[in-house]
Amino acid sequence: QSFQGSQGRAYLFNSVVNVGCGPAEERVLLTGLHAVADIYCENCKTTLGWKYEHAFESSQKYKEGKFIIELAHMIKDNGWE
């Protein structure tokens, strides 16, 4: 599926590594109200996206506990696309 971040296209992940998580806050996103926490690179502290802590709409519950990383913050390496 195609997801939208604040800076364009984004991807949904079940798990991520080497990221820190900020405090959760409620935000109205394109798909409704969610409680999300910004995630950032543990090394350089750049904000990469967010973690879905809670979805208030039943159709969005599948996102809970998952992570959005914006394409603008991904680096292609070792032939990964």
Side-chain angles (χ1 to χ4, degrees), residues 1-4 12 27 29-36 50-66 68:
Q1 285 183 326
S2 180
F3 289 87
Q4 189 70 25
L12 184 69
R27 292 187 195 154
L29 304 175
L30 292 175
T31 54
L33 181 63
H34 298 273
V36 299
W50 60 85
K51 178 182 181 184
Y52 287 102
E53 298 288 353
H54 179 71
F56 292 92
E57 296 182 26
S58 58
S59 66
Q60 301 298 309
K61 291 285 187 188
Y62 74 95
K63 295 178 182 175
E64 289 182 345
K66 296 183 179 172
I68 285 286

Side-chain angles (χ1 to χ4, degrees), residues 1-13 30 48-50 68-74 81:
Q1 285 183 326
S2 180
F3 289 87
Q4 189 70 25
S6 61
Q7 298 181 11
R9 192 170 179 184
Y11 292 94
L12 184 69
F13 291 89
L30 292 175
L48 304 172
W50 60 85
I68 285 286
I69 296 183
E70 297 178 342
L71 183 60
H73 300 297
M74 291 185 191
E81 294 190 27

Side-chain angles (χ1 to χ4, degrees), residues 13-60:
F13 291 89
N14 290 323
S15 63
V16 294
V17 295
N18 301 324
V19 299
C21 197
E25 62 183 32
E26 291 183 2
R27 292 187 195 154
V28 178
L29 304 175
L30 292 175
T31 54
L33 181 63
H34 298 273
V36 299
D38 286 339
I39 58 172
Y40 56 88
C41 173
E42 283 283 1
N43 186 39
C44 69
K45 308 302 183 203
T46 299
T47 299
L48 304 172
W50 60 85
K51 178 182 181 184
Y52 287 102
E53 298 288 353
H54 179 71
F56 292 92
E57 296 182 26
S58 58
S59 66
Q60 301 298 309

